[in-house]
Amino acid sequence: DVKVTQSSRYLVKRTGEKVFLECVQDMDHENMFWYRQDPGLGLRLIYFSYDVKMKEKGDIPEGYSVSREKKERFSLILESASTNQTSMYLCASSYRTGRASGANVLTFGAGSRLTVL
Amino acid sequence: RKEVEQDPGPFNVPEGATVAFNCTYSNSASQSFFWYRQDCRKEPKLLMSVYSSGNEDGRFTAQLNRASQYISLLIRDSKLSDSATYLCVVPRGGSQGNLIFGKGTKLSVKP
C-alpha cells in the first residue's frame, strides 16, 4: 500500500514561531500536495509540487512556504505562525499524469493538527 | 455557481435504506469526477471514480449528468459502517492531480 507519513499528529505552537510540517511518501509519486481542512470550509489547497525543487501555489498560499529537495519529501513551513493558521493539515501524493489517471487518485497522510496559541 | 457544491447534510438514515447525494460543478470541461470518503478524524480516501456516464461498485453507484453538470452517489442497503462524510471532487482544469474538493455531505446510518 502507498503510505504517506506526516511527522507530527499534534502540535502546539506559539504565535510567531516557525513551524515545519514534514511529509514523506514511499511509492515514488511525482505529485505532492498540502491541504488544510477547517470546519465549514472543507479542504483547501495550499501548495503543490509536480517534481523535485518545483512548487506551485494553491488557493491559499499566503503565510506558507514549501520545500521539496527530495522526491519523497514535501515540507510545509509556516514562517511566523498565527492563530488563524490553527487547522488540520493534510499532505497527499499521487502519480504524474499519464499513468491511467492516477494523477487524480490522491493518497493522504493521517494529518497534522496544529494549534497556534 | 460555486466550483463544487454539495448539500452538507447530515443525512440520517436507518440501516438498509437507500440514500443518494448530489454534487454540482461549474466547469463544463471537466472530464473526470471522484467521490472520496472521510471517516471522522481520519484522512479522505478514494471511494469511486466517474469517467463517463457512471460507475458501479457493489452497493455504490455513481452517475454523471453532463447536461445538468452534476454527479450523484447512490448507496443501497446502507450499513452502519457507511457513516462518514462523502466528498465530491473535480479536477481543476489543466492541472493533473490538482483537485477541487467539495465541502462534503455527512451521512449517519442508524441501527
Side-chain angles (χ1 to χ4, degrees), chain A residues 9 31 33 35 37 40-43 45 48 50 59 90 94 97 101 103-106 108-110, chain B residues 32 34 36 38 41-46 49 51 87 91-92 95-103:
Chain A
R9 288 299 306 276
N31 301 340
F33 307 85
Y35 289 86
Q37 186 172 31
L41 298 177
L43 278 100
L45 182 63
F48 60 101
Y50 290 150
D59 297 318
L90 289 159
S94 72
T97 182
S101 300
N104 294 323
V105 179
L106 266 57
F108 284 87
Chain B
S32 56
F34 305 88
Y36 277 68
Q38 186 172 23
R41 302 186 189 281
K42 298 284 191 179
E43 70 274 20
K45 294 183 179 179
L46 179 69
S49 305
Y51 295 113
L87 306 173
R92 202 181 302 264
S95 298
Q96 287 292 325
N98 187 340
L99 304 177
I100 304 170
F101 283 79
K103 295 178 182 178

Side-chain angles (χ1 to χ4, degrees), chain B residues 57-92:
Chain B
D57 183 4
R59 297 182 294 109
F60 297 82
T61 300
Q63 292 194 313
L64 168 63
N65 184 317
R66 288 192 187 277
S68 300
Q69 293 183 215
Y70 76 85
I71 61 173
S72 63
L73 178 67
L74 180 77
I75 305 174
R76 290 180 295 277
D77 189 22
S78 299
K79 310 291 184 189
L80 296 177
S81 57
D82 294 334
S83 297
T85 297
Y86 291 85
L87 306 173
C88 174
V89 183
V90 178
R92 202 181 302 264

Side-chain angles (χ1 to χ4, degrees), chain A residues 2-14:
Chain A
V2 175
K3 192 169 182 182
V4 178
T5 303
Q6 295 183 228
S7 55
S8 303
R9 288 299 306 276
Y10 300 94
L11 303 95
V12 179
K13 299 292 181 180
R14 296 203 176 275

